[in-house]
Amino acid sequence: ARTERAIAARAAGAVADCQPLLGLIESDASACQQLVQGVKEQLAVFSGVFCEACRVAAAAGTASCGASLARAARDERPAEMETLAGLEWNGLFSLALVWLGRRIEEKVFSGAWARAGELFAGVGAGQLGADQSAGAGVLAAAEAALTQFARVGGHRLAHFLRNAMGQKSWATAQAPPAEPSLVVEMVLKEVHAFDAQLGRLLGDPRKQRGGGGHRRNFGLGRTSMELEIERQWARKVQAFAPAPFNRSGAITAILRIAFKALVEYVREEAFATYGLQQLQLDAELLGDLSRDFVETEDAAVLSSLLGEAVNSASQRCDAPTLMEATALEAICD
């Protein structure tokens, strides 16, 4: 809140500082118009610098600023930007940029443009209004920072899953699974942490899933055709699609990257029957737990990815026999 107030005060103060100069040139229409244009350009530069900060912090070239704003940002880039470029990636800092982007667009720019409109209203500058491209650029930069947060989180979970796939003897499993793999608990712990960070910074409360304690279905009621449609859907999922500007959407983006990676890791392994069943158990529990954090439609997408992982494992198993739903239920309970 203090940072927001400080930025808003600086922006409004910069506009107010033009008042003495305006008093000197108010009889010169051409000079007034030049001053108005200068103020507009400086407010646009402010937007561009924020976009550039998001791009630098995310170490990515896709902050989605307009070309003119990006050029203005580079021309006016302060020396501190190089310091920012040298900082180590920090997820909370990225989310702080997301928060600032939303507040800057909502509070800072609107106030600065309103003050500028009042100041220049009497000198034939009534057309002075908020630069929509500047506001859109700030929001796009904030969304890019959120997408980068999701990508880093997704890669972290994918790393856990890759290690789990490489360390387990899927092809020589000699006994049916008795419990989920450790990686399921690790993924759940990380998702809880991501969800808490997103909740604090976005101020977006998570909706509790209803349905009581008995909530698992383990794919019951789906026909072979429905399962095949899910698999086709999974193959078309874009793992690195931009993260929506909300809590559950960001979690979906993280899990989408991780589960899409799991599908690829499975294709590098061979499976015995019990190894296949272990993967089935892990996938079902991952899908079930993810429903606590994402919307129903997104949960279906994630479920399709996990289903594709199990299907791929089945194709790499000499005797593919999946566990019954009742057995899965007993282990998960």
Side-chain angles (χ1 to χ4, degrees):
R2 285 184 297 177
T3 301
E4 176 196 335
R5 289 195 294 269
I7 294 175
R10 289 286 294 273
V15 173
D17 286 344
C18 298
Q19 190 162 7
L21 179 59
L22 180 62
L24 294 175
I25 63 172
E26 59 183 350
S27 59
D28 186 334
S30 176
C32 287
Q33 288 299 321
Q34 290 180 18
L35 179 59
V36 169
Q37 185 61 32
V39 170
K40 293 177 67 174
E41 290 177 355
Q42 288 303 307
L43 289 174
V45 165
F46 175 54
S47 167
V49 168
F50 177 82
C51 292
E52 184 71 1
C54 289
R55 187 193 69 80
V56 170
T62 55
S64 301
C65 300
S68 60
L69 292 179
R71 285 194 297 271
R74 285 193 293 271
D75 293 342
E76 301 292 332
R77 177 186 289 184
E80 290 83 351
M81 198 72 74
E82 301 305 323
T83 302
L84 177 61
L87 295 178
E88 184 178 353
W89 165 261
N90 183 288
L92 284 176
F93 181 72
S94 180
L95 289 180
L97 289 176
V98 176
W99 183 88
L100 274 175
R102 294 177 68 178
R103 302 296 291 178
I104 285 174
E105 199 280 333
E106 293 174 0
K107 303 293 184 181
V108 178
F109 280 149
S110 59
W113 284 112
R115 182 72 182 90
E118 295 172 359
L119 183 63
F120 296 107
V123 294
Q127 77 279 9
L128 182 63
D131 187 337
Q132 298 300 323
S133 64
V138 167
L139 284 180
E143 290 174 353
L146 182 60
T147 295
Q148 181 67 4
F149 174 85
R151 289 180 177 178
V152 172
H155 283 305
R156 178 173 173 80
L157 298 188
H159 178 72
F160 291 164
L161 293 170
R162 182 186 63 187
N163 287 344
M165 292 300 300
Q167 294 169 2
K168 212 171 188 69
S169 301
W170 303 97
T172 58
Q174 299 295 317
E179 61 183 6
S181 299
L182 178 61
V183 71
V184 174
E185 181 180 349
M186 294 172 63
V187 168
L188 178 61
K189 181 178 179 180
E190 289 294 315
V191 172
H192 268 294
F194 292 141
D195 183 66
Q197 292 172 359
L198 288 163
R200 286 198 301 270
L201 271 297
L202 297 183
D204 185 6
R206 176 159 59 88
K207 299 176 182 178
Q208 294 296 322
R209 182 175 60 173
H214 207 69
R215 60 193 184 187
R216 305 184 183 96
N217 57 34
F218 300 112
L220 294 177
R222 287 181 292 179
T223 65
S224 59
M225 181 177 293
E226 288 173 331
L227 292 173
E228 178 59 28
I229 291 174
E230 279 194 2
R231 286 192 287 268
Q232 293 296 330
W233 192 7
R235 292 171 187 141
K236 296 180 180 179
V237 170
Q238 296 183 2
F240 297 101
F245 220 155
N246 57 71
R247 183 178 189 169
S248 64
I251 292 294
T252 298
I254 292 171
L255 292 175
R256 186 174 58 229
I257 292 170
F259 293 169
K260 187 73 170 179
L262 177 62
V263 174
E264 299 304 321
Y265 300 148
V266 166
R267 291 171 178 163
E268 299 174 356
E269 303 290 336
F271 293 83
T273 299
Y274 292 141
L276 169 62
Q277 291 178 357
Q278 180 69 64
L279 180 69
Q280 178 194 10
L281 172 63
D282 295 343
E284 292 286 3
L285 194 52
L286 284 171
D288 182 69
L289 295 174
S290 68
R291 295 186 188 99
D292 281 331
F293 301 95
V294 303
E295 299 296 331
T296 301
E297 183 177 344
D298 294 327
V301 174
L302 297 176
S303 178
S304 70
L305 287 171
L306 293 168
E308 175 63 12
V310 175
N311 180 61
S312 293
S314 297
Q315 295 174 359
R316 289 157 179 78
C317 178
D318 290 334
T321 303
L322 296 177
M323 298 177 68
E324 296 291 336
T326 52
L328 289 170
E329 185 85 23
I331 295 173
C332 292
D333 285 341

